[in-house]
Amino acid sequence: MPVVRVFVLDSEERVLLVKTRHKKTGGYYWIAPGGMIEKGEYSREAAIREVKEETGLDISIRRLVWVEESKNDKGEVDYIHYFLGERTGGEKVTGIDPELEANEQIILHVEYMSKEEIKKQPEVYPEVLAYDYFWEVIRASAHDPYVIRPSKGFGVR
């Protein structure tokens, strides 16, 4: 299943995150906005659409940050494209998941968070948001996005 996630930073270098209810546990976690790429849709188009649906913001894509690939239980390759986006308009709102009915919505809140605020959250996805490595890559003028996305234990938290 191809998926996109987008890192949108504000002028204070805070990252836009979506507070989402966990379907299985009923708890919550914070996640970079994004979702599935629809049939016939380019990943950049999906990224822009998903941010609009979930947060109300209009964005443009600045660059590809990472491509994460993995194999699912069927042996099929799944991937996630992580983009750096830039706000171009719209107002920040708590959006919806259009695939879910009104009583099934899982988006609880939308907020910009600093590195320090992210580190205090019990559950953030992708986990690399809580590590210095993420901030180094976001500030870098160039890097190789075709690597496995670093996760827990990678760098200093």
Side-chain angles (χ1 to χ4, degrees), residues 123-136:
E123 201 168 348
V124 177
Y125 184 80
E127 300 90 356
V128 74
L129 285 165
Y131 292 88
D132 291 342
Y133 179 78
F134 168 78
W135 302 91
E136 291 167 12

Side-chain angles (χ1 to χ4, degrees), residues 39-108:
K39 185 176 181 176
E41 188 175 40
Y42 289 111
S43 60
R44 286 175 174 256
E45 295 169 341
I48 292 167
R49 175 185 51 77
E50 288 286 348
V51 170
K52 181 67 171 180
E53 290 172 356
E54 294 180 8
T55 72
L57 297 182
D58 298 313
I59 64 161
S60 63
I61 299 299
R62 289 183 50 200
R63 65 180 166 98
L64 180 66
V65 179
W66 285 297
V67 175
E68 176 184 349
E69 294 182 328
S70 60
K71 288 191 179 179
N72 62 26
D73 296 339
K74 298 175 187 175
E76 301 165 331
V77 175
D78 289 332
Y79 61 90
I80 304 173
H81 285 179
Y82 291 91
F83 291 104
L84 178 61
E86 183 172 8
R87 180 181 176 189
T88 59
E91 294 298 321
K92 181 174 67 78
V93 298
T94 300
I96 63 164
D97 185 332
E99 289 86 31
L100 299 176
E101 298 295 326
N103 64 338
E104 299 173 323
Q105 289 297 313
I106 59 173
I107 297 174
L108 304 173

Side-chain angles (χ1 to χ4, degrees), residues 3-22:
V3 172
V4 294
R5 293 270 163 225
V6 185
F7 305 120
V8 180
L9 280 64
D10 68 4
S11 61
E12 299 172 35
E13 280 200 336
R14 298 178 302 171
V15 179
L16 183 67
L17 296 174
V18 176
K19 185 178 183 180
T20 304
R21 184 171 33 86
H22 196 286

